[in-house]
Amino acid sequence: MIAKITMSFDRLSDANLLTKARDIFTAMTGNPSFAAPTPALDDLNAAILDFQAAVNAAAGRERTKVVLKNRSRVALIAILKAIGNYVTFTANGDSAMLSSSGYDPRKTPQPVIVSKPTVTVDDGTNSGELLNSADSAKNTRGFVHQYTADPLTDNSVWNSFTTTSKKYTFTGLNRAKVYWCRVGVIGAKGQLVFSDPISRVVQ
């Protein structure tokens, strides 16, 4: 995925916004990767100083000064976002350039990996039953329990039962006959990964 930056300045407290703005100003000053930022860094510095003064003036929570502080905050955020757009365009997905700007990189979603499960098969409570069980699997939204009659071939037809439980009891099986069983785990994005099949004689 193309590297990007995050510009969630609206969520920051006044103190954290000032800190982040100063970090960006410092990182961008003299940065050869971003030689001509738009707006100019002088404009950013002026907005930082104005907001700092407004924050100090509004410390007593006087209504008019709080309003002026909020206006100054909006102006600073607008400049930060405008420079952020310049950074994004100039870097063109170069993660090293983006990280040198002082802006925070946007987290890249990690793929959800579903591991191959292991199945165990035990006798059921009643005759003609097999209890199919999967081991505990992470990132699982469901299970597909399957069985097929012996012999196991590439053309075997599997009887399938989809459930949210890692255990399932197959019923109505023929006694003294060999069946092959397996379990598939369903991932968060619809992935389906099956265990290796194992056989058992029905009691």
Side-chain angles (χ1 to χ4, degrees):
M1 295 184 67
I2 298 176
K4 296 180 180 179
I5 58 174
T6 180
M7 294 191 284
S8 303
F9 303 113
D10 302 274
R11 301 177 184 176
L12 299 178
S13 66
D14 290 343
N16 288 340
L17 176 60
L18 277 169
T19 298
K20 191 62 194 174
R22 292 190 186 107
D23 289 344
I24 291 172
F25 176 77
T26 300
M28 291 287 292
T29 299
N31 190 327
S33 297
F34 306 104
T38 305
L41 293 182
D42 286 344
D43 295 334
L44 174 57
N45 189 45
I48 292 172
L49 295 175
D50 182 70
F51 183 51
Q52 175 66 79
V55 169
N56 293 339
R61 307 302 300 170
E62 195 273 319
R63 180 179 175 81
T64 301
K65 293 180 179 179
V66 170
V67 170
L68 293 175
K69 185 265 294 184
N70 290 339
R71 290 178 181 174
S72 179
R73 176 186 171 92
V74 170
L76 174 58
I77 290 175
I79 290 178
L80 287 171
K81 289 184 176 180
I83 294 177
N85 290 333
Y86 159 80
V87 166
T88 300
F89 177 79
T90 304
N92 192 30
D94 188 314
S95 59
M97 285 180 64
L98 289 174
S99 62
S100 75
S101 69
Y103 285 83
D104 294 326
R106 183 177 298 178
K107 293 182 179 180
T108 303
Q110 298 300 311
V112 178
I113 299 175
V114 179
S115 57
K116 183 177 180 179
T118 299
V119 66
T120 57
V121 183
D122 299 299
D123 295 332
T125 304
N126 304 304
S127 178
E129 296 181 347
L130 289 177
L131 176 61
N132 206 51
S133 303
D135 60 346
S136 297
K138 295 181 179 179
N139 304 315
T140 299
R141 288 197 173 178
F143 299 86
V144 180
H145 296 271
Q146 296 185 330
Y147 75 84
T148 189
D150 190 64
L152 180 64
T153 70
D154 291 339
N155 297 319
S156 293
V157 177
W158 291 91
N159 296 277
S160 299
F161 305 87
T162 302
T163 176
T164 56
S165 174
K166 65 180 183 179
K167 294 185 178 183
Y168 190 87
T169 300
F170 302 130
T171 61
L173 306 178
N174 295 322
R175 292 182 59 190
K177 187 171 183 179
V178 175
Y179 287 87
W180 289 85
C181 304
R182 67 181 183 179
V183 65
V185 292
I186 303 171
K189 296 190 178 295
Q191 310 98 310
L192 179 58
V193 181
F194 279 101
S195 68
D196 292 327
I198 61 175
S199 63
R200 191 173 181 91
V201 178
V202 178
Q203 301 302 309

